[in-house]
Amino acid sequence: MNLIIDDHEIDNEIDNELDVSVRRSTQTLRIGLFGLGVVGSGVWRMLLAKRGEFYDKFGIDVEIARICVRDIAKERDTDLPKDIVTTDASTLLNDETIDVIIELIGGRYEALEVIEQALRARKHVITANKLVLAYELPRLRKLADRNGVNLFYSASVCGSVPVLRALDDLRIGDTILSLQGIVNGSTNFVLTSMTNSGVTYEEALREARTRGFLEADPTFDISGQDAAQKLSVLIYHAFGRHITPNDVDTEGIENITADDILRESKNGNVIKLIASATLDGSGELNVSVRTKALPLSHVFASTSDEFNALEIIARHAGPQILHGKGAGSFPTASAVTSDVVELLREQY
Ligand SMILES: NC(=O)c1ccc[n+]([C@@H]2O[C@H](COP(=O)([O-])OP(=O)(O)OC[C@H]3O[C@@H](n4cnc5c(N)ncnc54)[C@H](OP(=O)(O)O)[C@@H]3O)[C@@H](O)[C@H]2O)c1
């Protein structure tokens, strides 16, 4: 990719872009897709399968016009396209007929460049990238607003489970007091495998990678950083505050041994990695990502494998629990597709 960015100029640029006239194609929603990996390939397949249904419902043809990858020579499944694949990001970002950029390349700085350039070019952006969002969410939302486009990121937290929409609604209609949950599917898969199958940490990690649950670089997952990134996004929606992962007291699962699992199992407990944010009496937020031994009766004890669960406690609604698949190609692609549907609804 050959992208140029200047973080410091962004606010000035935003202020110069108040006169917004957003281009829209009328009958076609043209998508530029960045990434054709675990999630990107799922998104390609889902959008292709849903194309006719979307056209019938919204009268809009949803077309993936171009796909940007890192390595064009990589061997890919035969059902994935070849003719629209490129390594030249500018052919997507500078194409005025592309309405939406879906960013699924992961990582921080290159992905941030893609997102910023797309928003500046007045393209809607859909991303699953919690790493970028954890550090840049308020600024990117402001950039999207000023350019009159949408920034959607349902897939960034809890995969297929619509936790951000639930938080948005509760925050407006009630007051959220706390949230806690299992928000990282791959570490939950590893802990579940160690508990139920008695495999070692390394064996469980290998299986999680084979199933596409682990990030290319698993460090973020196993160190708890991925959960801290997601917690940052959750907190933004629940409490309207921006904290970065650096502000989260974070622990991972890398020191959990088969002996720890066995000991807790004998005590009637299971070990889970829990992200939590709680408002105290003075309005301060206590935030952490920590491993906890939970009794089998606990609501999170039965959240197994790549599943996620989030308990939200609101002043009037009380506790609510959302539960579902938090990782993997199609569950994550399902959340990305729900963002495409949101765009179609807005244009309908
Ligand atoms: N996997 C999950 O279960 C899951 C769940 C929730 C959210 N997410 C998020 O979804 C995003 C994608 O994850 P993934 O698991 O699909 O990753 P992945 O399997 O590693 O795929 C990454 C894709 O991006 C492409 N790519 C990487 N760097 C690029 C660059 N600089 N320019 C153009 N293309 C580039 C790669 O190209 P090549 O194919 O040529 O290498 C690959 O197709 C990440 O932000 C991740 O955090 C993943």
Side-chain angles (χ1 to χ4, degrees):
M1 282 197 307
N2 183 20
L3 300 170
I4 301 163
I5 196 149
D6 183 346
D7 276 0
H8 307 293
E9 284 180 1
I10 202 162
D11 279 340
N12 292 339
E13 185 178 326
I14 285 169
D15 292 336
N16 292 333
E17 287 182 353
L18 286 169
D19 178 21
V20 173
S21 65
V22 182
R23 173 194 42 76
R24 290 276 182 276
S25 52
T26 45
Q27 294 301 320
T28 307
L29 190 79
R30 281 170 59 84
I31 293 174
L33 176 63
F34 278 81
L36 197 55
V38 173
V39 184
S41 60
V43 167
W44 162 263
R45 289 173 175 127
M46 275 196 75
L47 289 181
L48 201 63
K50 286 278 175 186
R51 193 169 179 176
E53 209 178 307
F54 287 165
Y55 190 79
D56 291 345
K57 186 166 175 50
F58 299 103
I60 298 173
D61 185 27
V62 176
E63 177 195 1
I64 296 187
R66 212 146 181 77
I67 302 175
C68 185
V69 297
R70 187 191 288 281
D71 176 8
I72 201 136
K74 195 182 218 176
E75 204 160 308
R76 299 177 200 275
D77 291 347
T78 50
D79 65 318
L80 296 175
K82 289 191 175 63
D83 50 331
I84 57 169
V85 178
T86 178
T87 53
D88 183 358
S90 67
T91 59
L92 283 70
L93 294 166
N94 296 337
D95 182 342
E96 292 206 344
T97 70
I98 288 182
D99 306 281
V100 188
I101 293 294
I102 301 182
E103 182 280 304
L104 299 170
I105 65 175
R108 186 164 170 189
Y109 296 105
E110 285 179 314
L112 176 62
E113 288 177 10
V114 167
I115 294 169
E116 285 194 344
Q117 288 213 6
L119 293 174
R120 284 195 194 124
R122 293 171 187 162
K123 299 181 190 306
H124 304 291
V125 170
I126 295 172
T127 178
N129 195 322
K130 57 264 173 178
L131 170 58
V132 167
L133 295 171
Y135 289 95
E136 309 284 349
L137 184 50
R139 198 168 65 88
L140 291 176
R141 280 179 64 125
K142 191 173 164 194
L143 182 61
D145 285 350
R146 295 294 175 94
N147 281 289
V149 289
N150 291 297
L151 171 65
F152 290 148
Y153 42 87
S154 299
S156 64
V157 189
C158 293
S160 62
V161 194
V163 291
L164 298 180
R165 290 196 179 107
L167 289 174
D168 288 344
D169 289 348
L170 269 174
R171 186 173 167 222
I172 294 169
D174 203 323
T175 303
I176 298 172
L177 303 175
S178 73
L179 52 90
Q180 65 163 339
I182 296 169
V183 298
N184 182 277
S186 44
T187 48
N188 200 47
F189 181 88
V190 169
L191 292 173
T192 306
S193 299
M194 290 172 75
T195 306
N196 294 351
S197 314
V199 296
T200 63
Y201 174 74
E202 287 74 21
E203 285 165 338
L205 214 57
R206 260 199 304 280
E207 179 65 13
R209 182 175 285 114
T210 306
R211 302 248 207 136
F213 299 146
L214 271 183
E215 301 283 327
D217 175 0
T219 319
F220 280 143
D221 284 322
I222 61 182
S223 66
Q225 280 298 314
D226 177 88
Q229 292 158 15
K230 290 167 175 165
L231 189 60
S232 163
V233 179
L234 288 168
I235 285 170
Y236 189 79
H237 282 258
F239 304 106
R241 301 185 194 180
H242 181 230
I243 60 148
T244 73
N246 309 333
D247 306 317
V248 181
D249 174 19
T250 302
E251 178 188 44
I253 65 161
E254 61 271 63
N255 296 323
I256 301 289
T257 63
D259 284 347
D260 296 329
I261 300 273
L262 195 61
R263 187 188 62 247
E264 290 304 337
S265 184
K266 281 180 183 158
N267 293 335
N269 295 328
V270 284
I271 297 178
K272 296 289 183 187
L273 186 67
I274 303 294
S276 72
T278 308
L279 270 184
D280 69 16
S282 60
E284 288 293 306
L285 263 182
N286 296 313
V287 296
S288 68
V289 172
R290 304 206 74 80
T291 54
K292 289 188 180 163
L294 303 175
L296 287 174
S297 57
H298 194 283
V299 68
F300 294 153
S302 56
T303 300
S304 301
D305 298 324
E306 77 276 26
F307 278 74
N308 284 185
L310 186 74
E311 181 191 58
I312 308 165
I313 300 181
R315 178 161 289 138
H316 301 290
Q320 299 190 343
I321 291 165
L322 292 110
H323 182 269
K325 286 189 177 175
S329 183
F330 282 112
T332 313
S334 166
V336 172
T337 303
S338 80
D339 285 344
V340 173
V341 171
E342 197 64 33
L343 279 180
L344 291 172
R345 280 211 187 94
E346 292 202 353
Q347 304 208 347
Y348 182 48

